[in-house]
Amino acid sequence: MPMEFLKEKHIEYIKSLDAKQGDLEYWLSEHLRLNGVYWGLTALCILDAKDTFKKEDIVNFVLSCWVKSTGGFSPFPRHDAHLLTTLSGIQILSIYNSLDALTEEQIEKCVEFIKKNQLEDGSFQGDRFGEVDTRFIYTALSSLSILGRLTPEIVDPAVDYILKCYNFDGGFGLSPGSESHAAQAFTCLGALAVVGKVNKLSKSQIDKIGWWLCERQLPEGGLNGRPSKLPDVCYSWWVLSSLAIINKLNWIDYKKLRHFILSSQDTKRGGISDRPDNEVDVFHTLFGITGLSLMGFENLNPIDPVYCMPCEVTSKFKKYPY
Amino acid sequence: MHGVKRRQWSRELLKQKRIEDEKKIKQYRSLVDTVLNLKETQIYTKDSLKLSKEVLQWNPEFNTVWNFRRDIIENVKGQLDVTFWEDELNFTMAELKKFPKVYWIWNHRVWVLKNHIDSSLKIWQRELIIVNKLLDMDARNFHGWHYRRRIIKVIEDRTGKSNDHEELELTTQKINKNISNFSAWHQRVQLITRMNDTDEFENRKEFITNEIDYITNAMFTDAEDQSVWFYMEWFLEYEMVSKVLNHNEYTTILNKFQSNILIINEDDKEFSGKENPWCLKMLIIIEKLQTNLGIEIKDGKSKEWIAKLIEADPLRKNRYLYLLHEEK
């Protein structure tokens, strides 16, 4: 087991991703491409290797994913826009300080696209087909926050809805009544934090959330997403960022989690997998690295637990209420 | 990738894979191109239906093609008979069996049910039996549970009758099969809360008494599993319990849990030489409930238990230090 963080190999791995066009998997994952670029770019920023990607190429790719008919971003040219990919598009442009690559009209249409997907009860659907999930509240509020376009009309009902997703055990579900899941803790707490409303939760709720989150750590050090499930590196992000938002980051054992993340590295080709000896991917690579960054290991650049973007970028955001 | 074993590719193997992939990539990309052309030119025909299905069989995560497929169906609805709708359900089921965690497939299936030419209730009731089978395959699939709640909601809205009693029975069956099924414990909380709110219990007290037995059994069955403890904590703090039971009854229940948990912890210590962290955590909560009831506790042990937890459960040491600080 390597106990060393393979920084250079991870950079090489992320760099190699776009050169995999000879693999069928590359084409079967087009629907994740814009998210993938965001995951890769954010990881590179945290690794202090932002210049590995060519800014101009990436910005052009993002622009090619903007969908004129709806105003949102799609994962790949010719695909449909969705809230999940709209956030990725905005995040990438923001990291490159290139939101001005969009015209005012494009930004207007994009804001409209996001707002139009909010439902009566404050929740958001991902697109016109009506899937509702707290993931989409997060992506909508985070996108609007980066664009500086949050308003009480959007925020207040969304906050009410999020509070309905809080469960008896201290976790959050994807909708009211759904089982607690650590990724949903991030989307709910992250959304509350984006709009400055974490204080809507009482002290006893916060303590309970912290309890449920720290119980995700298993003896081997990794974190799971729900009771009695296997550990997975991506929860290093969902759980840790949530703990960071409620100021209880140190309620888990850093050393053991670090060990688990480092054991999930591919020592030959770089990249990090969900758990030791599994296939690596850019999603787990990012969330392993951001987890390590939150814990202050490996001399990494700081990541913002609310936006999952480099602090250097988010420190310039206008904080709601404006 | 989630749950996929890492392979070390030799140069030889990689070369062979690339050769095999080359043909498939050509085929797939050409098919995708055709379907996206049909989408962009809004060709909504049965032929488009067939081709969109082919893409989704290659790649069930291609949400744009699911969207296109729904647009086609909307447009040719008049030409589609019951066989089409049943085939569509079969198609999504075949995909769900292969990819039970793909959100897009679950959503498409709900959409199909909502638009099915047979709008009778029996389509939804049949769906309940089907989702049972899916939950038998993976009793923790949260997509499956979420889907089940959506189906139940439709049935209840249409019959005007609550399914809570049947659903509660289902959670009992699931828990009896596997006590660590937290998805079922979670659902139990949702149901009991609703049944209490809408006055569905014939006899609350009888229900509470039975539930206490059920929890006690569960705790003795598997004291290592956090599911039972999370549930127990909720139940003991649940306002229905403290309201329906009188002061003495509630106090007696708390005392009984306390002594049983102490027994389990002693047994664990004897067996493994270690304290059971969940027993300690629960004892702290019970002592707090007793204090809140105004019971005078001469010899409070919470601090001692927290101190033991720092040793017994060092991963969460900082939480226990926080609790110690709060005790002051």
Side-chain angles (χ1 to χ4, degrees), chain A residues 262-304:
Chain A
L262 295 188
S263 312
S264 303
Q265 299 178 108
D266 184 330
T267 51
K268 288 215 172 89
R269 297 173 305 155
I272 302 174
S273 50
D274 60 348
R275 62 186 70 102
D277 304 320
N278 276 357
E279 198 58 72
V280 301
D281 59 68
V282 65
F283 175 87
H284 289 93
T285 302
L286 170 66
F287 292 134
I289 291 171
T290 54
L292 291 169
S293 166
L294 277 182
M295 294 187 286
F297 287 122
E298 322 303 342
N299 240 335
L300 294 161
N301 285 335
I303 182 88
D304 185 319

mmCIF file of all heavy atoms in Angstrom, chain A residues 262-304:
data_model
loop_
_atom_site.group_PDB
_atom_site.id
_atom_site.type_symbol
_atom_site.label_atom_id
_atom_site.label_comp_id
_atom_site.label_asym_id
_atom_site.label_seq_id
_atom_site.Cartn_x
_atom_site.Cartn_y
_atom_site.Cartn_z
ATOM 1 N N LEU A 262 -5.428 7.344 0.260
ATOM 2 C CA LEU A 262 -4.144 7.046 -0.396
ATOM 3 C C LEU A 262 -4.093 5.589 -0.855
ATOM 4 O O LEU A 262 -3.496 5.281 -1.883
ATOM 5 C CB LEU A 262 -2.976 7.371 0.539
ATOM 6 C CG LEU A 262 -2.804 8.855 0.896
ATOM 7 C CD1 LEU A 262 -1.501 9.068 1.670
ATOM 8 C CD2 LEU A 262 -2.816 9.747 -0.345
ATOM 9 N N SER A 263 -4.740 4.695 -0.108
ATOM 10 C CA SER A 263 -4.751 3.284 -0.523
ATOM 11 C C SER A 263 -5.588 3.068 -1.765
ATOM 12 O O SER A 263 -5.533 1.998 -2.368
ATOM 13 C CB SER A 263 -5.342 2.398 0.578
ATOM 14 O OG SER A 263 -4.775 2.699 1.798
ATOM 15 N N SER A 264 -6.400 4.044 -2.117
ATOM 16 C CA SER A 264 -7.261 3.897 -3.298
ATOM 17 C C SER A 264 -6.618 4.501 -4.549
ATOM 18 O O SER A 264 -7.250 4.554 -5.606
ATOM 19 C CB SER A 264 -8.620 4.551 -3.038
ATOM 20 O OG SER A 264 -9.223 3.982 -1.904
ATOM 21 N N GLN A 265 -5.358 4.953 -4.426
ATOM 22 C CA GLN A 265 -4.670 5.503 -5.596
ATOM 23 C C GLN A 265 -4.242 4.370 -6.524
ATOM 24 O O GLN A 265 -3.901 3.283 -6.067
ATOM 25 C CB GLN A 265 -3.414 6.261 -5.169
ATOM 26 C CG GLN A 265 -3.668 7.436 -4.261
ATOM 27 C CD GLN A 265 -2.365 8.109 -3.840
ATOM 28 O OE1 GLN A 265 -2.068 9.183 -4.291
ATOM 29 N NE2 GLN A 265 -1.611 7.449 -2.984
ATOM 30 N N ASP A 266 -4.220 4.654 -7.815
ATOM 31 C CA ASP A 266 -3.597 3.732 -8.765
ATOM 32 C C ASP A 266 -2.126 4.132 -8.849
ATOM 33 O O ASP A 266 -1.796 5.195 -9.383
ATOM 34 C CB ASP A 266 -4.296 3.856 -10.128
ATOM 35 C CG ASP A 266 -3.757 2.849 -11.147
ATOM 36 O OD1 ASP A 266 -2.554 2.478 -11.051
ATOM 37 O OD2 ASP A 266 -4.524 2.440 -12.039
ATOM 38 N N THR A 267 -1.265 3.287 -8.308
ATOM 39 C CA THR A 267 0.150 3.666 -8.213
ATOM 40 C C THR A 267 0.838 3.679 -9.569
ATOM 41 O O THR A 267 1.864 4.317 -9.743
ATOM 42 C CB THR A 267 0.918 2.697 -7.293
ATOM 43 O OG1 THR A 267 0.619 1.366 -7.735
ATOM 44 C CG2 THR A 267 0.487 2.852 -5.853
ATOM 45 N N LYS A 268 0.260 2.976 -10.533
ATOM 46 C CA LYS A 268 0.912 2.928 -11.847
ATOM 47 C C LYS A 268 0.506 4.110 -12.710
ATOM 48 O O LYS A 268 1.349 4.806 -13.268
ATOM 49 C CB LYS A 268 0.536 1.629 -12.562
ATOM 50 C CG LYS A 268 1.202 0.409 -11.953
ATOM 51 C CD LYS A 268 1.542 -0.618 -13.035
ATOM 52 C CE LYS A 268 2.368 -1.759 -12.484
ATOM 53 N NZ LYS A 268 1.558 -2.870 -11.949
ATOM 54 N N ARG A 269 -0.816 4.315 -12.839
ATOM 55 C CA ARG A 269 -1.276 5.315 -13.803
ATOM 56 C C ARG A 269 -1.824 6.590 -13.186
ATOM 57 O O ARG A 269 -2.257 7.498 -13.875
ATOM 58 C CB ARG A 269 -2.358 4.694 -14.697
ATOM 59 C CG ARG A 269 -1.854 3.515 -15.538
ATOM 60 C CD ARG A 269 -3.021 2.867 -16.250
ATOM 61 N NE ARG A 269 -4.049 2.479 -15.300
ATOM 62 C CZ ARG A 269 -5.338 2.336 -15.593
ATOM 63 N NH1 ARG A 269 -5.755 2.582 -16.825
ATOM 64 N NH2 ARG A 269 -6.209 1.960 -14.677
ATOM 65 N N GLY A 270 -1.849 6.634 -11.856
ATOM 66 C CA GLY A 270 -2.418 7.803 -11.196
ATOM 67 C C GLY A 270 -3.932 7.706 -11.132
ATOM 68 O O GLY A 270 -4.534 6.767 -11.653
ATOM 69 N N GLY A 271 -4.553 8.661 -10.482
ATOM 70 C CA GLY A 271 -6.001 8.623 -10.305
ATOM 71 C C GLY A 271 -6.368 7.885 -9.023
ATOM 72 O O GLY A 271 -5.542 7.165 -8.454
ATOM 73 N N ILE A 272 -7.595 8.115 -8.567
ATOM 74 C CA ILE A 272 -8.076 7.519 -7.321
ATOM 75 C C ILE A 272 -9.408 6.824 -7.616
ATOM 76 O O ILE A 272 -10.207 7.314 -8.408
ATOM 77 C CB ILE A 272 -8.264 8.611 -6.230
ATOM 78 C CG1 ILE A 272 -6.926 9.341 -5.988
ATOM 79 C CG2 ILE A 272 -8.796 8.022 -4.922
ATOM 80 C CD1 ILE A 272 -7.015 10.540 -5.046
ATOM 81 N N SER A 273 -9.605 5.672 -6.969
ATOM 82 C CA SER A 273 -10.843 4.908 -7.198
ATOM 83 C C SER A 273 -11.764 5.009 -5.981
ATOM 84 O O SER A 273 -11.407 5.606 -4.974
ATOM 85 C CB SER A 273 -10.507 3.448 -7.485
ATOM 86 O OG SER A 273 -9.632 2.942 -6.499
ATOM 87 N N ASP A 274 -12.944 4.379 -6.067
ATOM 88 C CA ASP A 274 -13.896 4.462 -4.956
ATOM 89 C C ASP A 274 -13.377 3.770 -3.709
ATOM 90 O O ASP A 274 -13.633 4.201 -2.590
ATOM 91 C CB ASP A 274 -15.285 3.933 -5.375
ATOM 92 C CG ASP A 274 -15.286 2.486 -5.829
ATOM 93 O OD1 ASP A 274 -14.190 1.918 -6.053
ATOM 94 O OD2 ASP A 274 -16.379 1.908 -5.970
ATOM 95 N N ARG A 275 -12.653 2.659 -3.933
ATOM 96 C CA ARG A 275 -12.010 1.991 -2.805
ATOM 97 C C ARG A 275 -10.812 1.212 -3.331
ATOM 98 O O ARG A 275 -10.664 1.068 -4.541
ATOM 99 C CB ARG A 275 -13.001 1.129 -2.026
ATOM 100 C CG ARG A 275 -13.660 -0.019 -2.744
ATOM 101 C CD ARG A 275 -14.709 -0.671 -1.861
ATOM 102 N NE ARG A 275 -15.851 0.204 -1.698
ATOM 103 C CZ ARG A 275 -17.015 0.049 -2.364
ATOM 104 N NH1 ARG A 275 -17.192 -0.951 -3.197
ATOM 105 N NH2 ARG A 275 -18.010 0.897 -2.177
ATOM 106 N N PRO A 276 -9.920 0.758 -2.447
ATOM 107 C CA PRO A 276 -8.686 0.142 -2.931
ATOM 108 C C PRO A 276 -8.927 -0.943 -3.990
ATOM 109 O O PRO A 276 -9.884 -1.710 -3.876
ATOM 110 C CB PRO A 276 -8.084 -0.457 -1.659
ATOM 111 C CG PRO A 276 -8.583 0.433 -0.562
ATOM 112 C CD PRO A 276 -9.961 0.844 -0.974
ATOM 113 N N ASP A 277 -8.086 -0.941 -4.996
ATOM 114 C CA ASP A 277 -8.074 -1.961 -6.066
ATOM 115 C C ASP A 277 -9.224 -1.869 -7.048
ATOM 116 O O ASP A 277 -9.419 -2.792 -7.837
ATOM 117 C CB ASP A 277 -8.023 -3.390 -5.476
ATOM 118 C CG ASP A 277 -6.832 -3.568 -4.569
ATOM 119 O OD1 ASP A 277 -5.757 -3.036 -4.933
ATOM 120 O OD2 ASP A 277 -6.960 -4.192 -3.502
ATOM 121 N N ASN A 278 -9.984 -0.811 -7.028
ATOM 122 C CA ASN A 278 -10.996 -0.633 -8.066
ATOM 123 C C ASN A 278 -10.477 0.316 -9.146
ATOM 124 O O ASN A 278 -9.461 0.976 -8.983
ATOM 125 C CB ASN A 278 -12.306 -0.101 -7.471
ATOM 126 C CG ASN A 278 -13.171 -1.229 -6.897
ATOM 127 O OD1 ASN A 278 -12.816 -2.402 -7.005
ATOM 128 N ND2 ASN A 278 -14.283 -0.869 -6.306
ATOM 129 N N GLU A 279 -11.232 0.363 -10.239
ATOM 130 C CA GLU A 279 -10.866 1.199 -11.375
ATOM 131 C C GLU A 279 -10.993 2.684 -11.010
ATOM 132 O O GLU A 279 -11.996 3.082 -10.402
ATOM 133 C CB GLU A 279 -11.813 0.848 -12.540
ATOM 134 C CG GLU A 279 -11.348 1.275 -13.897
ATOM 135 C CD GLU A 279 -9.990 0.693 -14.282
ATOM 136 O OE1 GLU A 279 -9.901 -0.513 -14.563
ATOM 137 O OE2 GLU A 279 -9.022 1.477 -14.284
ATOM 138 N N VAL A 280 -10.000 3.467 -11.369
ATOM 139 C CA VAL A 280 -10.040 4.893 -11.031
ATOM 140 C C VAL A 280 -10.932 5.654 -12.017
ATOM 141 O O VAL A 280 -11.235 5.175 -13.107
ATOM 142 C CB VAL A 280 -8.624 5.521 -11.075
ATOM 143 C CG1 VAL A 280 -7.703 4.816 -10.098
ATOM 144 C CG2 VAL A 280 -8.056 5.514 -12.481
ATOM 145 N N ASP A 281 -11.378 6.824 -11.614
ATOM 146 C CA ASP A 281 -12.093 7.722 -12.516
ATOM 147 C C ASP A 281 -11.888 9.145 -12.000
ATOM 148 O O ASP A 281 -11.441 9.348 -10.871
ATOM 149 C CB ASP A 281 -13.592 7.361 -12.609
ATOM 150 C CG ASP A 281 -14.280 7.418 -11.259
ATOM 151 O OD1 ASP A 281 -14.409 8.525 -10.719
ATOM 152 O OD2 ASP A 281 -14.661 6.353 -10.732
ATOM 153 N N VAL A 282 -12.237 10.121 -12.813
ATOM 154 C CA VAL A 282 -11.913 11.514 -12.476
ATOM 155 C C VAL A 282 -12.796 12.026 -11.330
ATOM 156 O O VAL A 282 -12.375 12.875 -10.538
ATOM 157 C CB VAL A 282 -11.998 12.409 -13.746
ATOM 158 C CG1 VAL A 282 -13.417 12.477 -14.294
ATOM 159 C CG2 VAL A 282 -11.473 13.819 -13.464
ATOM 160 N N PHE A 283 -13.993 11.491 -11.202
ATOM 161 C CA PHE A 283 -14.917 11.854 -10.127
ATOM 162 C C PHE A 283 -14.296 11.510 -8.754
ATOM 163 O O PHE A 283 -14.173 12.365 -7.881
ATOM 164 C CB PHE A 283 -16.219 11.072 -10.379
ATOM 165 C CG PHE A 283 -17.299 11.167 -9.346
ATOM 166 C CD1 PHE A 283 -18.227 12.192 -9.386
ATOM 167 C CD2 PHE A 283 -17.445 10.182 -8.358
ATOM 168 C CE1 PHE A 283 -19.272 12.254 -8.462
ATOM 169 C CE2 PHE A 283 -18.478 10.242 -7.434
ATOM 170 C CZ PHE A 283 -19.395 11.277 -7.493
ATOM 171 N N HIS A 284 -13.874 10.254 -8.594
ATOM 172 C CA HIS A 284 -13.268 9.864 -7.321
ATOM 173 C C HIS A 284 -11.901 10.501 -7.120
ATOM 174 O O HIS A 284 -11.486 10.743 -5.985
ATOM 175 C CB HIS A 284 -13.215 8.338 -7.203
ATOM 176 C CG HIS A 284 -14.566 7.721 -7.010
ATOM 177 N ND1 HIS A 284 -15.328 7.269 -8.063
ATOM 178 C CD2 HIS A 284 -15.318 7.550 -5.885
ATOM 179 C CE1 HIS A 284 -16.488 6.816 -7.585
ATOM 180 N NE2 HIS A 284 -16.509 6.985 -6.276
ATOM 181 N N THR A 285 -11.209 10.760 -8.231
ATOM 182 C CA THR A 285 -9.909 11.431 -8.112
ATOM 183 C C THR A 285 -10.115 12.810 -7.492
ATOM 184 O O THR A 285 -9.423 13.205 -6.547
ATOM 185 C CB THR A 285 -9.253 11.546 -9.505
ATOM 186 O OG1 THR A 285 -9.121 10.219 -10.045
ATOM 187 C CG2 THR A 285 -7.888 12.207 -9.416
ATOM 188 N N LEU A 286 -11.099 13.549 -8.009
ATOM 189 C CA LEU A 286 -11.371 14.880 -7.454
ATOM 190 C C LEU A 286 -11.755 14.791 -5.980
ATOM 191 O O LEU A 286 -11.198 15.514 -5.147
ATOM 192 C CB LEU A 286 -12.514 15.569 -8.224
ATOM 193 C CG LEU A 286 -13.017 16.861 -7.558
ATOM 194 C CD1 LEU A 286 -11.955 17.946 -7.574
ATOM 195 C CD2 LEU A 286 -14.296 17.379 -8.213
ATOM 196 N N PHE A 287 -12.698 13.896 -5.661
ATOM 197 C CA PHE A 287 -13.215 13.906 -4.296
ATOM 198 C C PHE A 287 -12.231 13.325 -3.281
ATOM 199 O O PHE A 287 -12.292 13.661 -2.092
ATOM 200 C CB PHE A 287 -14.595 13.245 -4.247
ATOM 201 C CG PHE A 287 -15.623 14.086 -4.976
ATOM 202 C CD1 PHE A 287 -16.516 13.506 -5.874
ATOM 203 C CD2 PHE A 287 -15.661 15.453 -4.798
ATOM 204 C CE1 PHE A 287 -17.446 14.293 -6.566
ATOM 205 C CE2 PHE A 287 -16.585 16.252 -5.481
ATOM 206 C CZ PHE A 287 -17.472 15.671 -6.364
ATOM 207 N N GLY A 288 -11.301 12.490 -3.744
ATOM 208 C CA GLY A 288 -10.205 12.073 -2.868
ATOM 209 C C GLY A 288 -9.301 13.269 -2.572
ATOM 210 O O GLY A 288 -8.950 13.543 -1.421
ATOM 211 N N ILE A 289 -8.951 13.989 -3.633
ATOM 212 C CA ILE A 289 -8.034 15.126 -3.489
ATOM 213 C C ILE A 289 -8.667 16.244 -2.644
ATOM 214 O O ILE A 289 -8.027 16.816 -1.766
ATOM 215 C CB ILE A 289 -7.626 15.658 -4.892
ATOM 216 C CG1 ILE A 289 -6.735 14.620 -5.586
ATOM 217 C CG2 ILE A 289 -6.914 17.005 -4.791
ATOM 218 C CD1 ILE A 289 -6.433 14.928 -7.047
ATOM 219 N N THR A 290 -9.956 16.539 -2.897
ATOM 220 C CA THR A 290 -10.589 17.627 -2.135
ATOM 221 C C THR A 290 -10.745 17.222 -0.664
ATOM 222 O O THR A 290 -10.638 18.072 0.223
ATOM 223 C CB THR A 290 -11.973 17.990 -2.708
ATOM 224 O OG1 THR A 290 -12.771 16.817 -2.790
ATOM 225 C CG2 THR A 290 -11.865 18.626 -4.078
ATOM 226 N N GLY A 291 -10.971 15.930 -0.428
ATOM 227 C CA GLY A 291 -11.042 15.451 0.958
ATOM 228 C C GLY A 291 -9.711 15.697 1.657
ATOM 229 O O GLY A 291 -9.659 16.226 2.776
ATOM 230 N N LEU A 292 -8.632 15.336 0.982
ATOM 231 C CA LEU A 292 -7.299 15.552 1.569
ATOM 232 C C LEU A 292 -7.055 17.042 1.800
ATOM 233 O O LEU A 292 -6.493 17.452 2.816
ATOM 234 C CB LEU A 292 -6.219 14.983 0.635
ATOM 235 C CG LEU A 292 -6.197 13.453 0.512
ATOM 236 C CD1 LEU A 292 -5.289 13.013 -0.641
ATOM 237 C CD2 LEU A 292 -5.731 12.803 1.821
ATOM 238 N N SER A 293 -7.506 17.854 0.854
ATOM 239 C CA SER A 293 -7.312 19.299 0.991
ATOM 240 C C SER A 293 -8.057 19.842 2.208
ATOM 241 O O SER A 293 -7.508 20.638 2.978
ATOM 242 C CB SER A 293 -7.785 20.014 -0.285
ATOM 243 O OG SER A 293 -7.907 21.407 -0.062
ATOM 244 N N LEU A 294 -9.311 19.392 2.398
ATOM 245 C CA LEU A 294 -10.081 19.878 3.552
ATOM 246 C C LEU A 294 -9.391 19.520 4.867
ATOM 247 O O LEU A 294 -9.441 20.264 5.836
ATOM 248 C CB LEU A 294 -11.492 19.273 3.549
ATOM 249 C CG LEU A 294 -12.541 19.963 2.680
ATOM 250 C CD1 LEU A 294 -13.884 19.260 2.848
ATOM 251 C CD2 LEU A 294 -12.694 21.443 3.023
ATOM 252 N N MET A 295 -8.747 18.336 4.888
ATOM 253 C CA MET A 295 -8.078 17.909 6.116
ATOM 254 C C MET A 295 -6.693 18.554 6.274
ATOM 255 O O MET A 295 -6.031 18.352 7.279
ATOM 256 C CB MET A 295 -7.954 16.377 6.143
ATOM 257 C CG MET A 295 -9.305 15.663 6.233
ATOM 258 S SD MET A 295 -9.135 13.885 6.463
ATOM 259 C CE MET A 295 -8.611 13.353 4.829
ATOM 260 N N GLY A 296 -6.280 19.287 5.247
ATOM 261 C CA GLY A 296 -4.999 19.998 5.344
ATOM 262 C C GLY A 296 -3.771 19.149 5.061
ATOM 263 O O GLY A 296 -2.662 19.498 5.450
ATOM 264 N N PHE A 297 -3.986 18.023 4.367
ATOM 265 C CA PHE A 297 -2.833 17.164 4.040
ATOM 266 C C PHE A 297 -2.212 17.521 2.693
ATOM 267 O O PHE A 297 -2.847 18.152 1.847
ATOM 268 C CB PHE A 297 -3.278 15.698 3.972
ATOM 269 C CG PHE A 297 -3.571 15.082 5.314
ATOM 270 C CD1 PHE A 297 -4.819 14.535 5.576
ATOM 271 C CD2 PHE A 297 -2.600 15.031 6.301
ATOM 272 C CE1 PHE A 297 -5.103 13.944 6.809
ATOM 273 C CE2 PHE A 297 -2.870 14.442 7.543
ATOM 274 C CZ PHE A 297 -4.121 13.901 7.791
ATOM 275 N N GLU A 298 -1.012 17.074 2.482
ATOM 276 C CA GLU A 298 -0.316 17.061 1.174
ATOM 277 C C GLU A 298 -0.081 18.440 0.572
ATOM 278 O O GLU A 298 0.130 18.553 -0.633
ATOM 279 C CB GLU A 298 -1.064 16.192 0.131
ATOM 280 C CG GLU A 298 -1.711 14.915 0.617
ATOM 281 C CD GLU A 298 -0.755 13.962 1.301
ATOM 282 O OE1 GLU A 298 0.472 14.102 1.120
ATOM 283 O OE2 GLU A 298 -1.246 13.075 2.025
ATOM 284 N N ASN A 299 -0.161 19.483 1.389
ATOM 285 C CA ASN A 299 0.171 20.803 0.853
ATOM 286 C C ASN A 299 -0.673 21.205 -0.356
ATOM 287 O O ASN A 299 -0.161 21.789 -1.307
ATOM 288 C CB ASN A 299 1.636 20.793 0.415
ATOM 289 C CG ASN A 299 2.407 21.833 1.183
ATOM 290 O OD1 ASN A 299 1.804 22.820 1.643
ATOM 291 N ND2 ASN A 299 3.699 21.632 1.335
ATOM 292 N N LEU A 300 -1.934 20.860 -0.317
ATOM 293 C CA LEU A 300 -2.795 21.144 -1.467
ATOM 294 C C LEU A 300 -3.388 22.543 -1.359
ATOM 295 O O LEU A 300 -3.455 23.111 -0.264
ATOM 296 C CB LEU A 300 -3.923 20.109 -1.516
ATOM 297 C CG LEU A 300 -3.459 18.692 -1.787
ATOM 298 C CD1 LEU A 300 -4.522 17.672 -1.369
ATOM 299 C CD2 LEU A 300 -3.122 18.523 -3.264
ATOM 300 N N ASN A 301 -3.824 23.074 -2.482
ATOM 301 C CA ASN A 301 -4.513 24.362 -2.429
ATOM 302 C C ASN A 301 -5.862 24.174 -1.740
ATOM 303 O O ASN A 301 -6.485 23.123 -1.876
ATOM 304 C CB ASN A 301 -4.722 24.914 -3.843
ATOM 305 C CG ASN A 301 -3.431 25.461 -4.412
ATOM 306 O OD1 ASN A 301 -2.532 25.853 -3.664
ATOM 307 N ND2 ASN A 301 -3.327 25.470 -5.723
ATOM 308 N N PRO A 302 -6.331 25.177 -1.011
ATOM 309 C CA PRO A 302 -7.596 25.022 -0.276
ATOM 310 C C PRO A 302 -8.824 24.971 -1.182
ATOM 311 O O PRO A 302 -8.916 25.695 -2.173
ATOM 312 C CB PRO A 302 -7.641 26.244 0.645
ATOM 313 C CG PRO A 302 -6.648 27.195 0.117
ATOM 314 C CD PRO A 302 -5.647 26.439 -0.697
ATOM 315 N N ILE A 303 -9.748 24.092 -0.792
ATOM 316 C CA ILE A 303 -11.008 23.933 -1.531
ATOM 317 C C ILE A 303 -12.127 24.522 -0.673
ATOM 318 O O ILE A 303 -12.119 24.383 0.541
ATOM 319 C CB ILE A 303 -11.274 22.439 -1.829
ATOM 320 C CG1 ILE A 303 -12.548 22.225 -2.651
ATOM 321 C CG2 ILE A 303 -11.377 21.605 -0.547
ATOM 322 C CD1 ILE A 303 -12.331 22.289 -4.110
ATOM 323 N N ASP A 304 -13.083 25.162 -1.308
ATOM 324 C CA ASP A 304 -14.220 25.727 -0.583
ATOM 325 C C ASP A 304 -15.277 24.632 -0.384
ATOM 326 O O ASP A 304 -15.778 24.071 -1.361
ATOM 327 C CB ASP A 304 -14.809 26.892 -1.404
ATOM 328 C CG ASP A 304 -15.914 27.617 -0.661
ATOM 329 O OD1 ASP A 304 -16.742 26.938 -0.018
ATOM 330 O OD2 ASP A 304 -15.959 28.857 -0.740
#
